[in-house]
Amino acid sequence: MKTLITGTSQGIGKAIAELFLANQHTVIGIDRRQASIVDAHYTHIVADICDIDSLPAIDDVEVLINNAGTQNESDIDTNLKALIRVTEKYGIQPSIRSILNIGSASGHTGAEFPEYCASKGGVIAYTKNVALRVAKYGATCNSLDPGGVVTPLNLCVMEDPALWQEIMDQTPLKRWATAEEIAQWAYFLTVTNGFCTGQSIVVDGGESILSHFVWPES
């Protein structure tokens, strides 16, 4: 299938693109940075999704994965407003079969930078809106909302022993997801899945369900 993925130069986006390529899909990547993927079926476009006028016309996209995002850096403009414009440009059309927005568990818990949480919460609501509008094409739209993921963007806490231990104390599985694990979820929700739509799937190792029940000892 003709697949368009934003934010493919590293991390989750790169892992998703590589998985789709391994399964013989045609992949187009959009990123502010140069390509780090070399494959005959991969086309890379250097562009900023915040500048919608700089994005080229791409016809008949079948799978759209909105992965590009920022953390504590113009989050609402990039994570929400640009995501909306990209979706409206490439996703709302008869050839579409699935749209996936990479959100965040923080959109559910509110436990991160204020604008980041607001941007990802907006993605959850927009996902439902798009699901309603692409249903007439037989297409699905969901958001995949990871917790911590082992990527270069998270090195500042991964390499700090005290912060890492504090994070692990709040993560039942005692590890973060790999980018490849998140890519598997992305593939399932866009290619294997054909019925689940308008949903926000949290993949965070159980962090958002951790609670400490306090009660007097008998």
Side-chain angles (χ1 to χ4, degrees):
M1 284 191 286
K2 188 174 184 178
T3 303
L4 176 60
I5 307 170
T6 64
T8 51
S9 68
Q10 64 180 1
I12 294 172
K14 182 181 179 182
I16 294 173
E18 290 175 336
L19 180 58
F20 272 76
L21 290 166
N23 283 279
Q24 308 304 310
H25 296 273
T26 298
V27 177
I28 302 164
I30 299 176
D31 199 291
R32 292 184 296 184
R33 301 177 182 86
Q34 293 291 335
S36 56
I37 298 171
V38 178
D39 190 284
H41 295 99
Y42 178 74
T43 300
H44 191 77
I45 298 166
V46 178
D48 187 339
I49 60 169
C50 288
D51 182 8
I52 195 68
D53 293 333
S54 72
L55 302 183
I58 304 173
D59 297 327
D60 303 324
V61 172
E62 295 172 275
V63 176
L64 171 61
I65 300 177
N66 288 304
N67 167 74
T70 57
Q71 189 177 49
N72 205 26
E73 178 199 339
S74 303
D75 293 345
I76 292 176
D77 286 338
T78 303
N79 300 345
L80 183 57
K81 290 182 178 179
L83 180 149
I84 290 172
R85 295 187 190 110
V86 168
T87 302
E88 299 297 323
K89 183 178 180 71
Y90 300 117
I92 313 298
Q93 42 83 18
S95 296
I96 198 68
R97 288 292 164 264
S98 58
I99 298 171
L100 183 67
N101 299 319
I102 304 300
S104 171
S106 297
H108 299 262
T109 65
E112 206 161 328
F113 305 110
E115 286 197 11
Y116 183 81
C117 293
S119 70
K120 294 301 186 177
V123 168
I124 293 170
Y126 180 65
T127 294
K128 297 180 185 299
N129 174 272
V130 173
L132 290 172
R133 291 191 289 137
V134 299
K136 64 183 178 182
Y137 305 127
T140 64
C141 179
N142 295 288
S143 72
L144 174 58
D145 302 343
V149 181
V150 177
T151 72
L153 292 177
N154 290 319
L155 286 176
C156 60
V157 292
M158 291 165 53
E159 295 179 345
D160 185 311
L163 290 178
W164 186 246
Q165 184 58 54
E166 186 176 347
I167 291 169
M168 288 300 99
D169 288 343
Q170 299 182 58
T171 307
L173 287 182
K174 304 304 178 189
R175 69 179 183 88
W176 272 1
T178 65
E180 290 73 23
E181 285 177 306
I182 301 303
Q184 290 286 349
W185 276 96
Y187 193 86
F188 172 78
L189 287 169
T190 54
V191 177
T192 306
N193 167 59
F195 194 66
C196 174
T197 192
Q199 303 304 307
S200 299
I201 311 301
V202 177
V203 180
D204 69 348
E207 183 177 348
S208 60
I209 64 170
L210 184 64
S211 63
H212 298 283
F213 182 61
V214 178
W215 197 253
E217 292 184 7
S218 57

